[in-house]
Amino acid sequence: MRTSELIQAPWPEFDLDNVPCVIPPERRKMAMPHIVPLSRQSVEVLLALKLLTGNGRLVFPGANDKDISMSNNT
């Protein structure tokens, strides 16, 4: 998974009950979906993160604007 694909990911792309994660083609440079297997540890981290940002659209929202993802320099 590319850094930009992760930091711009919306929560609906992560079905934490039925891994792997599927990144749709419209969010990729390639014209096909990207299937990303998630380890048990990464699912645990995402579940913990969901408590903090799960009410919003993005997994990693920006500090000032929750509708824009965090910077890749963060």
Side-chain angles (χ1 to χ4, degrees), residues 58-74:
L58 297 171
V59 176
F60 295 100
N64 298 323
D65 187 347
K66 304 299 181 202
D67 292 325
I68 300 175
S69 67
M70 70 170 30
S71 166
N72 63 349
N73 296 318
T74 300

Side-chain angles (χ1 to χ4, degrees), residues 32-43:
M32 48 196 293
H34 184 92
I35 299 170
V36 182
L38 299 175
S39 68
R40 177 183 47 81
Q41 295 91 337
S42 61
V43 171

Side-chain angles (χ1 to χ4, degrees), residues 37-55:
L38 299 175
S39 68
R40 177 183 47 81
Q41 295 91 337
S42 61
V43 171
E44 289 175 11
V45 169
L46 287 166
L47 287 170
L49 185 60
K50 193 160 186 145
L51 295 174
L52 300 173
T53 67
N55 291 331

